[in-house]
Amino acid sequence: MKKILWYLIAFLLGILPGFFIVFNSVFSDPSGNFFERLVTYLLVIVSFGVLGFLLGRTRENPLMMGTMLSLFSIILLVLYLFKEPGSLLLILSYLVLTLGASYLGAKWGAPKTKD
């Protein structure tokens, strides 16, 4: 039960950056210039990385924590892909950044165990 609660918390925490950073970047400015895109990529990495790091401290599976944290973004991006199939590369880049930052943050935040 405790595991499910942490995964639910991770999902709920991922809603804000998923909607306001990831989806807004893809929906509002699909053809942004290089500097704007770099800034949004950095925002995605920092926001999901920090949240992943904090959630990694819970000692839960980092892969599941990262996936649950970025699940809302993944759902939004996949649904948006059906509406705008021409933005496949942009959407894939955000999927990779979101999942990668969430997982790596959770992995780095996980307490180190002594073997």
Side-chain angles (χ1 to χ4, degrees), residues 38-111:
L38 227 58
V39 169
T40 58
Y41 283 164
L42 184 61
L43 283 172
V44 168
I45 292 169
V46 168
S47 62
F48 281 95
V50 168
L51 286 173
F53 181 84
L54 294 174
L55 288 168
R57 306 302 295 166
T58 64
R59 299 182 185 269
E60 297 300 328
N61 181 0
L63 182 60
M64 271 306 288
M65 267 310 183
T67 304
M68 290 307 293
L69 180 61
S70 56
L71 184 62
F72 184 77
S73 298
I74 294 169
I75 292 169
L76 282 179
L77 290 171
V78 168
L79 290 175
Y80 189 70
L81 183 60
F82 287 114
K83 184 181 181 299
E84 294 289 334
S87 354
L88 176 65
L89 289 177
L90 178 65
I91 289 173
L92 282 177
S93 68
Y94 278 101
L95 280 171
V96 168
L97 283 176
T98 304
L99 273 170
S102 298
Y103 170 69
L104 288 176
K107 184 82 171 157
W108 289 333

Side-chain angles (χ1 to χ4, degrees), residues 18-48:
F19 185 78
F20 289 109
I21 298 174
V22 175
F23 183 67
N24 191 25
S25 300
V26 173
F27 179 74
S28 300
D29 195 17
S31 61
N33 67 26
F34 179 73
F35 180 73
E36 290 173 351
R37 190 66 57 212
L38 227 58
V39 169
T40 58
Y41 283 164
L42 184 61
L43 283 172
V44 168
I45 292 169
V46 168
S47 62
F48 281 95

